[in-house]
Every structure is written in structure tokens, then in C-alpha cells.
Amino acid sequence: MNAETKSTPSSQNGFWFLANIGLGGFFAIFALYWGANLVLGGIKASQKLRAPAPAPVQAETAAPAPAATPAAKTEAAATPAAPSTAGVTEVTIKPDLGNPLMYDTKTFTVKTGQTVKLTFNNTHPAVPQPHNWVLGKVGTKDKLLAAAMAVMTDPRGLEKGYIPESPDVLQHTKLLQPNTSETIEFVAPASGDYPYICTFPGHGIMMNGVMKVE
């Protein structure tokens, strides 16, 4: 995985950090008690490339004349094809404006073998919180949530950015402080529905989505 990081300076607010831990724990306990599963809608983020149609063929025939005249010739307009970008899909994900404990993009679709250029922009105008973006293998959403709960108790959890050390994790950003962003690139795997979540303590219960690979 090749990653390109873009970030703007931000200092960690102690109050928000403690508040986020408490809020995260509340949502985790709430979700475990009720066993809620949020059914999320989806938006499709794959790009479609439309190549320009070739220009019509024009033919010119020189009329015969007493003097030497070039033979009739046919001219075909040659329009160069636009550079192909069908192999790259760009996706930008942010915290949802209505609920900062959700992603604004709950579903996006890519093609197998495409390069995915994903930017996670952790910007929210009202409730700044630390978040990350972690992509798991097909069918591992529950495992990712369990791993996220386990890393919460790890003394080095914060140092690790609360990224679980699990074979089920395929791609991830680092833990981003408010008003920072990171861009990562990876090749879309085989077809299937790949879950992604925020593994900051308690956030993954609601802050999750699906990358669909066709």
C-alpha cells in the first residue's frame, strides 16, 4: 500500500479526548445492550469514463483537369483518445454532518483491480473528534468490532492509533486528529462486500460502511 498523507496542524484537546472516550464507551455499552445493527444506505462512487466519438470521415475527390492533377484522396479526421483513467477511482470520506459518529459515505463501489485513491478528511464543524478508517476482509465486520474493543484496553492502543493487529485488516489510515486528512492508495481486491469501520473506542458501532467490489 502506498500512502500519501496530507495534514494540517492540530493540537489535541484534553477535554475532547476524555469526552470522546466517555462517549465512545457509552455507545459501545448501548449497542451491546440493544444489539442494534444500523442498516445504512449507500452511494456509488465509481467513475465512468466516456471516450470521445471519432470524427466523421471526410473524402475529397480532385476533378480531372488538362494540367496534371493529384489523384483523389480521402482524409480521415484523427481525434486522439483522452487519457484513460478507468483504472483509478477517487473516494473522499468525512464524518457525517448530521451525526459525527458516522461516516458521510456509507457505501461506495469499485471494480476489481482498480486503483482506489481514498481520502479520509476528518473535518466536522461542530464536534471535532479523532477518527480513523479501517478496511477489513469480506464478512469480518463483527471481528473488526471485537478487535477494536480489545485494542481499547491495550496500554499502547493510543500509540498504535487504535488500529487492531489483526489479519482481517486489509487497509487503514492512521488515527487522525480533528481537521486533518490522509490519502491512501490500494488495488481493489476480488469481488465482494468489504466492511470498513472507525476503530477509535466505541465509534465502530455506528461509524462503519461497505466497500463493494464488482
Side-chain angles (χ1 to χ4, degrees):
M1 177 186 69
N2 297 322
E4 174 190 350
T5 305
K6 301 184 294 183
S7 61
T8 57
S10 174
S11 61
Q12 181 175 343
N13 186 299
F15 171 79
W16 276 115
F17 182 79
L18 293 176
N20 291 332
I21 292 290
L23 186 60
F26 171 80
F27 277 103
I29 295 171
F30 177 85
L32 291 175
Y33 180 79
W34 289 104
N37 287 316
L38 189 63
V39 179
L40 305 173
I43 61 174
K44 199 167 185 177
S46 57
Q47 296 181 334
K48 296 180 180 179
L49 179 66
R50 182 176 297 175
V57 177
Q58 298 178 348
E60 293 182 0
T61 303
T69 306
K73 63 180 180 178
T74 301
E75 293 183 355
T79 304
S84 176
T85 58
V88 179
T89 294
E90 296 189 19
V91 180
T92 298
I93 298 178
K94 301 178 181 179
D96 188 84
L97 287 176
N99 186 340
L101 287 181
M102 296 175 65
Y103 293 119
D104 67 339
T105 301
K106 283 76 175 178
T107 306
F108 65 92
T109 304
V110 296
K111 301 289 185 181
T112 298
Q114 278 187 326
T115 296
V116 181
K117 187 175 182 180
L118 184 140
T119 298
F120 180 41
N121 185 354
N122 186 22
T123 301
H124 194 280
V127 187
Q129 299 186 61
H131 296 298
N132 60 24
W133 185 90
V134 178
L135 179 70
K137 295 179 180 178
V138 173
T140 61
K141 178 181 177 181
D142 290 341
K143 290 184 178 180
L144 289 178
L145 289 172
M149 294 295 291
V151 78
M152 179 175 63
T153 63
D154 187 338
R156 298 179 59 221
L158 178 60
E159 179 183 340
K160 297 176 181 178
Y162 294 107
I163 306 298
E165 294 179 349
S166 167
D168 294 320
V169 174
L170 296 179
Q171 307 290 338
H172 65 83
T173 67
K174 63 186 178 183
L175 181 66
L176 297 176
Q177 294 303 317
N179 301 315
T180 64
S181 67
E182 182 178 1
T183 298
I184 63 175
E185 291 187 20
F186 57 91
V187 176
S191 61
D193 292 347
Y194 293 78
Y196 56 85
I197 71 172
C198 173
T199 58
F200 188 82
H203 288 191
I205 297 297
M206 299 180 66
M207 201 167 194
N208 56 70
V210 176
M211 180 182 78
K212 295 180 176 292
V213 182
E214 297 179 343

